[in-house]
């Protein structure tokens, strides 16, 4: 794959036979099942297709074409073999649930020893940009000399992946026959998206977390500054029309932040870290003359879970991103299929990037300031938690149903965040533990008292305002989740001291 600096002009057209020869080479290299029959039957169609749609064609041409009379006729099957691959989904359906659209199992799936494929998305339908210089785009849609390339090139390689991806997304929307022109209709509009980049000042105050609110304000300002710098009045129309208003750029950046995955991919001989926007539409794509058609049955929708049943895998041989069900994981019809967006991050980070939080985030933290400590191994054994701090898990089958449902991600987080002590085989002294529990609970109560209202009142507000903006709702949930976590830690400490004594 050429870098943007090397590739040929985007709309250069192959002669018919050059095109076909290239096609033959390409189709021979690829595995048959992923190729889709395209409606390509005559030579006009070949010459009419823009090469910018098909990065595999963007390689150097022989300078002197061989006369057609000297060439072997191609196998007739080559006229039927397609060069546009579609994405596929197996055993899943898309529904609207509590967290927006999501992916659900449409049938029971028995556990297998190996991971099982449920979706595959070809590289050319995703929008991908390398994380490091030189910038590489897949597909290679940005023509040399286009001013959007200079804008992308001006970004900081270390920090500005979201600005770059937003530019690429806006450019793809403007790029004739690009798949994202169709797919854009299926992305959430500004008022359907939870990203805090789109939050109003009022929404930010609802967070009741001044640090997070100030981080988000800085992010919003960063996006606006970038827009002002690059979308000034003297900018060429082909850039200006990509984001006529700053709101358009903020929206594109919120798409980049809340829908991008970071993945290492191998393309040809190169392995590189990439930022990718991945459509999950189940789509029929074909070419008829100049038209790329898509029948989008559904959209980009895998939600996050801290106990995901799926993961992404890059299939190098034919450049497919696969969504796989975990090995050994059984799934029931109607179960939600989820992935983990990030590991090891607190709720404020999930809010900043995706606009949601969870009351059972196993990585959430409470900053205790006193000296009180409880005995680590006793706490873990009371809740049947095993493993090392980075990999704590709840050994659930040993507990009765009620206890089982109490021990969730918040209790795993409690095990990590409550100050503890451990000293060889020295057992805890019950009175000292009880004193420590009391102090820790007291500190949680103080933190809770600093909030103007309780978690129950937050819940009432949410129930009584079904018309709230998505960002406002996400902000209220965030502060509620924080309080629920503290309340759960208080409860866990109660249970700890009860069990410790008996
Ligand atoms: C890649 S999209 C997933 C599809 C999304 N539900 C939709 O309707 O388009 C990421 C967004 O989904 C929502 N989301 C994903 N996982 C979530 C979760 N566990 N809890 C709440 N919202 C979630 C958030 O709004 C997030 O910004």
């Amino acid at each position: 794959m050429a870098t943007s600096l090397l590739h040929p002009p985007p709309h250069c057209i192959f002669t018919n036979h050059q095109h076909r020869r290239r096609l033959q080479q390409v189709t021979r290299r690829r595995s048959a099942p992923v190729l889709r029959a395209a409606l390509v039957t005559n030579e006009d169609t070949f010459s009419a297709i823009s090469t910018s749609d098909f990065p595999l064609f963007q390689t150097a041409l022989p300078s002197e074409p061989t006369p057609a009379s000297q060439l072997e006729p191609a196998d007739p099957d080559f006229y039927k073999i397609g060069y546009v691959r579609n994405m596929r989904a197996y055993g899943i359906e898309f529904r609207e649930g509590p967290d927006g659209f999501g992916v659900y199992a449409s049938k029971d799936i028995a556990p297998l020893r190996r991971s099982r494929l449920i979706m595959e998305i070809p590289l050319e339908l995703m929008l991908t940009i390398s994380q490091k210089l030189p910038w590489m785009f897949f597909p290679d849609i940005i023509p040399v000399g286009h001013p959007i390339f200079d804008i992308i090139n001006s970004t900081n390689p270390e920090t500005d992946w979201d600005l770059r991806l937003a530019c690429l997304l806006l450019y793809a929307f403007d790029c004739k026959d690009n798949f994202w022109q169709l797919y854009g209709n299926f992305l959430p509009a500004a008022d359907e998206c939870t990203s805090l980049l789109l939050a109003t000042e009022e929404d930010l105050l609802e967070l009741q977390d001044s640090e997070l609110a100030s981080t988000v304000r800085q992010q919003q300002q960063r996006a606006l500054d970038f827009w002002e710098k690059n979308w000034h009045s003297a900018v060429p129309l082909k850039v200006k029309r990509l984001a006529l208003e700053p709101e358009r750029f903020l929206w594109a950046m919120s798409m980049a932040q809340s829908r991008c995955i970071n993945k290492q991919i191998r393309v040809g001989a190169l392995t590189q870290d990439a930022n990718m926007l991945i459509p999950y539409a189940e789509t029929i794509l074909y070419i008829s003359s100049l038209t790329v058609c898509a029948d989008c049955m559904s959209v980009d929708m895998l939600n996050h879970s801290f106990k995901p049943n799926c993961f992404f895998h890059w299939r190098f041989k034919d450049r497919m991103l696969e969504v796989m069900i975990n090995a050994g994981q059984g799934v029931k019809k109607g179960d939600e299929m989820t992935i983990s967006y990030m590991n090891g991050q607190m709720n404020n980070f999930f809010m900043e990037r995706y606009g949601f939080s969870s009351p059972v985030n196993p990585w959430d933290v409470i900053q205790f300031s006193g000296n009180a400590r409880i005995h680590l191994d006793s706490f873990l054994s009371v809740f049947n938690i095993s493993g090392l701090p980075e990999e704590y898990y709840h050994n659930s089958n040993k507990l009765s149903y009620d206890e089982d449902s109490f021990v969730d991600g918040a209790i795993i987080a409690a095990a990590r965040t409550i100050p503890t002590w451990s000293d060889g085989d020295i057992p805890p002294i019950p009175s000292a533990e009880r004193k420590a529990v009391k102090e820790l609970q007291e500190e949680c109560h103080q933190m809770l008292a600093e909030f103007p209202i309780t978690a129950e009142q937050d819940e009432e507000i949410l129930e009584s305002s079904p018309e709230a903006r998505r960002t406002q709702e996400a902000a209220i949930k965030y502060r509620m989740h924080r309080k629920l976590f503290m309340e759960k830690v208080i409860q866990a400490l109660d249970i700890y001291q009860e069990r410790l004594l008996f």
Side-chain angles (χ1 to χ4, degrees), residues 230-286:
N230 295 296
W231 269 264
H232 51 81
S233 53
V235 83
L237 182 62
K238 57 183 167 184
V239 168
K240 196 180 281 176
R241 67 174 183 239
L242 303 185
L244 287 172
E245 305 294 336
E247 290 76 21
R248 176 76 174 159
F249 188 78
L250 270 174
W251 172 82
M253 198 159 133
S254 74
M255 290 299 110
Q257 287 197 354
S258 65
R259 307 183 94 81
C260 160
I261 69 156
N262 310 329
K263 185 132 191 79
Q264 199 170 68
I265 60 170
R266 186 171 151 212
V267 180
L270 279 177
T271 299
Q272 52 194 308
D273 294 315
N275 296 122
M276 315 163 112
L277 281 173
I278 308 166
Y280 297 111
E282 199 173 294
T283 307
I284 316 293
L285 252 178
Y286 59 88

Side-chain angles (χ1 to χ4, degrees), residues 99-101 188 194 258-259 300-304 341 354 356:
D99 304 327
F101 282 99
T194 57
S258 65
R259 307 183 94 81
D300 161 353
M301 284 183 239
L302 279 164
N303 285 322
H304 164 89
Y341 289 1
Y354 300 100
F356 74 87

Side-chain angles (χ1 to χ4, degrees), residues 306 347 356-362 364 408-411 413 477-478 480-486 488:
F306 293 102
N347 273 344
F356 74 87
S357 54
S358 165
V360 292
N361 180 346
D364 227 7
D408 55 16
I411 299 300
K477 279 188 181 163
Y478 168 73
M480 182 175 84
H481 291 161
R482 183 96 192 117
K483 295 170 208 172
L484 290 176
F485 177 43
M486 289 176 185
K488 186 100 182 190

Side-chain angles (χ1 to χ4, degrees), residues 186-252:
F186 295 89
L187 290 171
D191 60 352
E192 293 161 337
C193 183
T194 57
S195 166
L196 293 185
L197 283 174
L198 305 167
T200 61
E201 186 52 33
E202 199 188 337
D203 299 342
L204 295 184
L205 293 175
E206 298 281 20
L207 290 166
Q208 295 177 357
D209 178 336
S210 54
E211 222 169 286
L212 177 58
S214 129
T215 309
V216 174
R217 279 185 208 108
Q218 284 165 21
Q219 291 286 330
Q220 291 175 332
Q221 196 54 48
R222 176 172 156 259
L224 292 174
D225 290 347
F226 185 78
W227 181 83
E228 267 163 29
K229 181 169 154 225
N230 295 296
W231 269 264
H232 51 81
S233 53
V235 83
L237 182 62
K238 57 183 167 184
V239 168
K240 196 180 281 176
R241 67 174 183 239
L242 303 185
L244 287 172
E245 305 294 336
E247 290 76 21
R248 176 76 174 159
F249 188 78
L250 270 174
W251 172 82

Side-chain angles (χ1 to χ4, degrees), residues 437-487:
V437 162
K438 202 161 169 279
E439 280 179 41
L440 293 167
Q441 287 180 324
E442 191 51 45
E443 198 166 353
C444 287
H445 281 298
Q446 274 168 18
M447 289 186 228
L448 281 169
E450 281 166 23
F451 287 100
I453 57 173
T454 64
E456 293 76 57
Q457 287 167 318
D458 288 330
E459 185 143 31
E460 281 163 24
I461 293 174
L462 286 169
E463 274 167 18
S464 62
S465 28
E467 299 303 315
R469 285 181 303 281
R470 299 278 331 261
T471 40
Q472 187 185 16
E473 184 189 341
I476 298 174
K477 279 188 181 163
Y478 168 73
R479 69 185 194 218
M480 182 175 84
H481 291 161
R482 183 96 192 117
K483 295 170 208 172
L484 290 176
F485 177 43
M486 289 176 185
E487 286 172 7

